[in-house]
Amino acid sequence: MDDSLPQVRLYNSLTRRTEPLQPLQPGRVSVYTCGSTVYNYAHIGNLRTYLFGDLLHRTLEYTGYEVRYVKNITDVGHMRGDDHDSLEGDDRIQLAAETEGKTPSQIADFYTDAWLEDEALLNILPADVMPKATDHIPEMIALTEQLIGNGLAYDVDGTIYFDVSSFPSYGQLSGQKVDEMRAGHRVEVESDKRDPADFALWKRAREHRLMKWPSPWGDGFPGWHIECSAMSIKHLGERFDIHTGGIDLKFPHHEDEIAQSEASWAIRSSASGCTANSSPWPTPRWPRARATSSELASCPPRVTSRSPSATSR
C-alpha cells in the first residue's frame, strides 16, 4: 500500500470480513461492476447497485487512488430462468424485441441509452469502459475453447458445460455446497449435463433464435456467466482488485465467474509460472498476502475483493 494514501477498509464477501484495501498496484485500484441487461428500463433496485459502485469510485478517487472502472452492458445471453441455467428459457432481449416489434439490437440500443440517461440524472460518474457483451464474442469463444482443451468443460451437441467437479473451491463465495445443490434442485435439470451443478459456457442456438454466432461447436450464443469473465479479463487483466454487483448475482453468476476465470487462469499460470497481466496498466509485483484457497501455491488470485450491493438485473 502507498503510505501516502489513507487506509480504506471494505467488506470482502469472499472472505466475509472487513479488510484493508491493498491494491495489486500501489495507488491504483481496478474495479469491475456487473452492469445492466438492457431489455427494459432500469428500476430503483438496479440503480441502487450502480449508485454503490459510483460511491466506491468517488471515494477511492477522493482519497487519492487512481481508479480504472469497468461496467459492462449485457446485450445478449441473459435468459429467463438463468438462475437455473435453463436452455429452454427465452432470451430477455429477444423476447422484448418480439413484444415491441423491434430487432434485438434496437432494443439493446434503446434501453442502454435510457439506462445511461437515468445514471446521468443521478449524477453517476461514467465508467472508464462500458464493454458490450456482443462486442466480445471472440473472447468468450477463446476462453471456452481453453477450458475444453484442458478438461474443465465438455461439449454436448453444441452446448458447452463447465465441469464443476474440476474446481474444488466451487461454492466459496456463496457458501453453496454442491452436494446440497443436487439434493435440493427443484426445477427440471438439463438431461445432457454430467452433473446438475454444471453450468453452460456456450449454448447451441435453436432454430427460432435471432442472436447467434458461428463457433467451433456450431451456431450458438454465450452463457451469461462467461460474458463477464471475458470482458473483465480483456479490460482489467486476469487479476484485478474489486468486483461489485447486485446481491442477487452472488449465486450463481458471481460464483460461476470465479470458477471459470480462476480455472482458466490457473491453466496459464501452471504452464508458464505467473503470467503477465494483460491490464492496460503495467504488470505489478504480486503480494503473496493475497492468497486464497483456490490459487496455485506460487501465484496470486485473480480477484481480491468482492463487494456485492443491493439488486441488479
Side-chain angles (χ1 to χ4, degrees):
M1 176 178 174
D2 187 336
D3 292 337
S4 67
L5 296 174
Q7 186 181 86
V8 174
R9 295 178 63 84
L10 297 174
Y11 178 75
N12 185 344
S13 59
L14 186 64
T15 62
R16 298 168 179 80
R17 293 192 300 267
T18 300
E19 301 172 344
L21 174 65
Q22 295 179 306
L24 295 169
Q25 300 183 63
R28 293 173 168 177
V29 181
S30 48
V31 183
Y32 184 91
T33 290
C34 284
S36 187
T37 301
V38 286
Y39 69 98
N40 206 336
Y41 294 105
H43 57 64
I44 193 169
N46 305 134
L47 294 170
R48 190 254 186 226
T49 292
Y50 310 132
L51 279 168
F52 169 82
D54 186 62
L55 177 61
L56 176 65
H57 184 186
R58 289 174 181 272
T59 300
L60 291 170
E61 289 193 337
Y62 177 78
T63 52
Y65 290 92
E66 181 181 352
V67 179
R68 181 169 175 81
Y69 187 30
V70 176
K71 178 163 54 179
N72 81 289
I73 300 168
T74 299
D75 58 350
V76 67
H78 193 171
M79 313 289 282
R80 295 179 67 183
D82 243 341
D83 287 350
H84 308 298
D85 204 46
S86 172
L87 298 182
E88 302 299 333
D90 295 313
D91 186 297
R92 297 169 191 243
I93 291 176
Q94 181 167 321
L95 186 61
E98 294 170 353
T99 301
E100 298 188 26
K102 299 178 180 179
T103 66
S105 61
Q106 288 172 331
I107 289 291
D109 290 345
F110 178 84
Y111 288 112
T112 296
D113 290 343
W115 169 37
L116 297 181
E117 288 174 8
D118 289 340
E119 287 205 342
L121 287 172
L122 293 171
N123 201 28
I124 292 175
L125 293 175
D128 296 301
V129 185
M130 295 193 73
K132 293 183 178 181
T134 52
D135 290 338
H136 295 74
I137 301 297
E139 289 84 357
M140 298 170 198
I141 290 174
L143 186 55
T144 302
E145 285 184 301
Q146 186 175 61
L147 291 167
I148 292 175
N150 286 275
L152 302 173
Y154 56 94
D155 178 0
V156 180
D157 297 327
T159 293
I160 312 302
Y161 291 107
F162 183 87
D163 179 3
V164 168
S165 69
S166 69
F167 190 73
S169 296
Y170 190 78
Q172 62 180 335
L173 175 67
S174 63
Q176 297 274 0
K177 296 181 180 179
V178 174
D179 290 342
E180 293 177 1
M181 290 165 52
R182 295 179 188 131
H185 223 292
R186 296 183 180 179
V187 297
E188 184 177 351
V189 177
E190 300 300 331
S191 59
D192 54 0
K193 291 183 181 183
R194 293 177 183 172
D195 189 289
D198 295 347
F199 58 88
L201 303 170
W202 183 265
K203 301 181 180 182
R204 66 181 178 273
R206 309 289 187 184
E207 291 183 6
H208 70 282
R209 183 169 181 85
L210 299 176
M211 304 178 77
K212 56 186 176 183
W213 291 263
S215 80
W217 319 287
D219 287 353
F221 59 100
W224 176 32
H225 315 305
I226 198 72
E227 296 180 4
C228 284
S229 290
M231 289 185 280
S232 64
I233 288 171
K234 179 169 183 178
H235 296 286
L236 291 176
E238 292 173 334
R239 290 145 284 188
F240 56 93
D241 296 301
I242 303 171
H243 190 305
T244 78
I247 192 66
D248 58 318
L249 303 185
K250 193 170 186 178
F251 186 87
H253 185 52
H254 292 163
E255 193 75 71
D256 292 353
E257 271 191 78
I258 290 175
Q260 65 204 8
S261 297
E262 293 196 2
S264 67
W265 176 77
I267 295 165
R268 291 185 290 280
S269 297
S270 62
S272 60
C274 290
T275 59
N277 190 6
S278 58
S279 165
W281 287 340
T283 303
R285 293 182 178 274
W286 306 108
R288 261 311 269 131
R290 300 196 156 278
T292 66
S293 59
S294 62
E295 70 169 329
L296 297 178
S298 61
C299 301
R302 173 180 165 271
V303 181
T304 60
S305 178
R306 292 183 174 264
S307 302
S309 59
T311 59
S312 72
R313 289 194 192 282

